[in-house]
Amino acid sequence: MPRDTSAFYEENAETYANRARSLPKQQLDAFLAGITPGGAILELGCGGGQDSAYMLSHSFDVTPTDGSAELARQAEALIGRPVKVMRFHELDADSAFDGVWAHASLLHVPRPELPDVFARIRRALKISGLLHATFKAGEAEGHDGFGRYYNYPSREWLSALLTKGGWQNLAIEESDGGGYDGKPTRWLTVSAER
């Protein structure tokens, strides 16, 4: 995660973690439906911990992580368990998880680093393990009004990258929504299998 993005989350962790946010329940339920009950899930970029809390409440074995120590502390307060402070490029697991949930987190990975991060995620998944990731759609990388970096991929660019990376059963859905900045956002929702 670029330094200016990290600084934003460190400095605004409490406000960000406790903001009014609708749980992506439909996406969570669809993701969890494809995983064996009680399966191991890695959450990359857990933010305030709401998604992890939901998955834990459904009896999944969740490992929450975040690149921000301050956000990890906020999430720990919500879910009552440790949150590992880890950047995406530090992921070093082999066939350990049934699913990886990366909701609005991988969108901060610089484009040149995405192939390596996706390879690390793929290796961390068991055979046929599921990936869920969301991105803000665009044509070129850039920054938002808070100075946060975004890779802003197009559907075609992301599809080509994941296909080249060996992902199976790839689906990318587009939808309109918003974000922390309050601006209208075109979202890409990725689901794929190792």
Side-chain angles (χ1 to χ4, degrees):
M1 192 180 341
R3 198 181 64 71
D4 48 354
T5 305
S6 300
F8 170 83
Y9 290 111
E10 288 296 317
E11 293 162 13
N12 299 282
E14 189 171 353
T15 303
Y16 185 82
N18 296 302
R19 74 198 186 281
R21 172 186 179 255
S22 319
L23 200 67
K25 194 171 176 313
Q26 189 175 351
Q27 293 174 342
L28 275 161
D29 289 342
F31 172 73
L32 296 175
I35 296 175
T36 307
I41 297 170
L42 172 66
E43 183 172 11
L44 293 173
C46 71
Q50 295 89 347
D51 296 2
S52 276
Y54 183 82
M55 293 186 278
L56 286 164
S57 76
H58 285 75
S59 303
F60 286 91
D61 177 15
V62 182
T63 302
T65 70
D66 202 275
S68 161
E70 289 301 320
L71 270 178
R73 271 196 275 285
Q74 295 292 322
E76 285 175 350
L78 176 73
I79 63 177
R81 65 166 50 193
V83 172
K84 184 175 182 178
V85 177
M86 181 186 82
R87 301 291 174 98
F88 306 125
H89 68 271
E90 295 172 315
L91 176 59
D92 188 22
D94 194 355
S95 302
F97 299 100
D98 298 292
V100 171
W101 179 262
H103 195 79
S105 59
L106 299 177
L107 40 65
H108 293 309
V109 177
R111 282 187 178 205
E113 297 173 24
L114 266 176
D116 175 63
V117 169
F118 276 125
R120 288 174 180 276
I121 293 169
R122 194 166 173 275
R123 189 169 57 246
L125 283 166
K126 297 174 184 174
I127 300 298
S128 299
L130 301 181
L131 166 67
H132 164 92
T134 55
F135 295 83
K136 290 186 176 185
E139 295 299 327
E141 54 195 334
H143 293 78
D144 71 359
F146 294 107
R148 298 178 297 174
Y149 167 88
Y150 285 90
N151 45 37
Y152 293 124
S154 67
R155 181 182 191 153
E156 296 72 23
W157 187 89
L158 203 49
S159 179
L161 178 69
L162 290 160
T163 301
K164 186 177 177 186
W167 292 90
Q168 305 295 312
N169 297 324
L170 173 63
I172 301 176
E173 295 178 7
E174 294 188 46
S175 60
D176 290 316
Y180 182 73
D181 61 4
K183 295 184 177 171
T185 302
R186 187 74 174 159
W187 286 95
L188 301 177
T189 301
V190 173
S191 59
E193 277 182 33
R194 174 176 172 176

